[in-house]
């Protein structure tokens, strides 16, 4: 596994904003959209664009 980035926020909106800023700043793509399923607060994940999953792999909306 290569580099990945995680952002954490108190609210979904705060987490989404941080994720958007991160992706713009470092050329990353989201692989996990903001979720509160992993404990306190909201988290999201991104990877550098060259390591982004191919179409049909990775992010799955539920």
């Amino acid at each position: 596994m290569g580099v990945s980035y995680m952002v954490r926020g108190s609210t979904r909106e705060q987490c989404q904003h941080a994720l958007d800023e991160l992706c713009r700043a470092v050329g990353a793509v989201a692989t996990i959209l903001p979720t509160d399923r992993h404990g306190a607060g909201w988290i999201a994940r991104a990877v550098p664009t060259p390591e982004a999953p191919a179409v049909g792999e990775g992010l799955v909306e539920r």
Side-chain angles (χ1 to χ4, degrees):
M1 174 186 233
V3 172
S4 65
Y5 308 103
M6 184 194 79
V7 295
R8 187 173 187 174
S10 299
T11 66
R12 188 199 66 76
E13 293 79 14
Q14 185 182 49
C15 189
Q16 184 66 57
H17 178 74
L19 179 63
D20 293 342
E21 290 292 314
L22 172 72
C23 289
R24 275 193 293 275
V26 301
V29 63
T31 55
I32 298 176
L33 296 177
T35 180
D36 62 350
R37 293 183 183 184
H38 301 287
W42 290 77
I43 64 166
R45 181 176 175 264
V47 295
T49 301
E51 295 183 30
V55 174
E57 298 178 5
L59 181 65
V60 177
E61 291 191 26
R62 296 175 192 214

